[in-house]
Amino acid sequence: MAITTKKPKIKETVGALYYAFNTMTEDGEFDPEAYEDTNKSDVVKTITTTDNATTTTVRASGQDYETVNQSASVENEVEVIALDPEDLAKMRGDDIHENGLILSGAPGKRPFFAFGKVVKKLGGAVEYVWYPKCQLTENTDEAATSEEEFSEQTDTVTITAYAFDDAGNKSVRVNSEMTSFPEGLTEEKFFEAPILDDAGLTAATAPTA
C-alpha cells in the first residue's frame, strides 16, 4: 500500500469574535429557532478552548467491554482588548434601566447566546466555528494606572457552550482544508446567523437573489 504524506496548515492568528443573543422561550429556556442579529467584534487576543469530557471504561467478565466518552460542556476562555459594555452587561444578566443605571450581582438566569470564532491559517486556510448555546460563566475586569508609555490592558471572559440538540452536539464547524468544505462559503456568510444543522449551512451557501 502507498504512503500518503500530509502537510496540514499551521495556525497564523485568531480572527473576529461573533455572537448572537438567543430569544428564549416564555419559560426562560433556550430556543434553537430564535436569535437576534449577529454581532462582530475584532477584539480577540487569544481563545483557549477546553472540552470538559469524561471517559468511563465499562468492565465485564474480567475485561474492558466498552469505553464511553461523555462531554458535559466546552469552555472558551477569551482574552479581549475590549467588549461592548451593553452586550457584556446583557451577557451577565444585569438589570439595565432606561436611565442608564445598571444593577449587577443579583441572583438570576443569564441569557443564552451563540458564540462564533475564526481561526486563520497560513496559506489562506480557515476554520469557522459556531457554539449555538452558550452562557457567560466568568469574566475578569482589571484596570491599571497609565505609564509614560502606553500599556495594553486586557480582560478575559469565559464562555461555556452546552448541548444544543438531542444528540448532545455543542459546536458546528467547517474547515477549508477538508474536501467537503462548501464551495463559495465565506466568513460573512457563515456568521450571518447561527448555524445548527445541515439546513442552516445550506441556507448560508445559497446564492443571493
Side-chain angles (χ1 to χ4, degrees):
M1 298 179 66
I3 297 176
T4 301
T5 300
K6 295 191 174 184
K7 190 176 180 181
K9 306 288 186 183
I10 61 176
K11 296 176 183 178
E12 181 178 17
T13 184
V14 65
L17 177 154
Y18 291 87
Y19 56 94
F21 287 100
N22 184 255
T23 304
M24 296 188 290
T25 65
E26 293 182 357
D27 297 331
E29 298 300 325
F30 170 74
D31 187 345
E33 299 182 0
Y35 287 96
E36 298 177 13
D37 292 339
T38 299
N39 300 285
K40 176 184 178 182
S41 199
D42 294 299
V43 296
V44 183
K45 295 289 289 184
T46 62
I47 297 179
T48 302
T49 302
T50 304
D51 190 351
N52 296 317
T54 58
T55 300
T56 303
T57 301
V58 180
R59 290 184 58 82
S61 300
Q63 61 184 346
D64 293 345
Y65 181 79
E66 186 77 68
T67 299
V68 180
N69 297 306
Q70 293 179 309
S71 176
S73 62
V74 176
E75 285 189 358
N76 285 283
E77 187 177 280
V78 187
E79 183 186 9
V80 295
I81 57 172
L83 267 181
D84 182 272
E86 188 165 354
D87 288 341
L88 179 59
K90 189 173 179 179
M91 289 178 182
R92 286 195 302 238
D94 293 346
D95 186 6
I96 306 172
H97 292 198
E98 292 183 358
N99 64 359
L101 184 70
I102 302 172
L103 299 179
S104 182
K109 188 169 184 177
R110 294 185 171 185
F112 290 108
F113 59 92
F115 165 67
K117 69 177 184 179
V118 178
V119 177
K120 298 181 179 180
K121 305 180 183 182
L122 290 176
V126 293
E127 182 179 49
Y128 305 141
V129 187
W130 267 121
Y131 297 91
K133 184 182 179 181
C134 298
Q135 285 181 314
L136 180 71
T137 51
E138 186 177 345
N139 70 281
T140 65
D141 185 1
E142 299 181 12
T145 188
S146 61
E147 304 292 345
E148 292 184 2
E149 294 185 5
F150 177 78
S151 178
E152 184 180 278
Q153 301 186 43
T154 62
D155 293 321
T156 302
V157 293
T158 301
I159 297 171
T160 302
Y162 304 99
F164 62 86
D165 61 12
D166 293 338
N169 290 305
K170 296 163 188 66
S171 68
V172 175
R173 70 185 67 223
V174 293
N175 192 313
S176 65
E177 291 187 76
M178 300 180 67
T179 55
S180 58
F181 187 78
E183 183 178 353
L185 181 64
T186 63
E187 180 176 331
E188 183 178 3
K189 289 181 178 179
F190 185 81
F191 290 107
E192 184 175 359
I195 294 174
L196 285 73
D197 51 27
D198 288 333
L201 183 59
T202 299
T205 55
T208 56

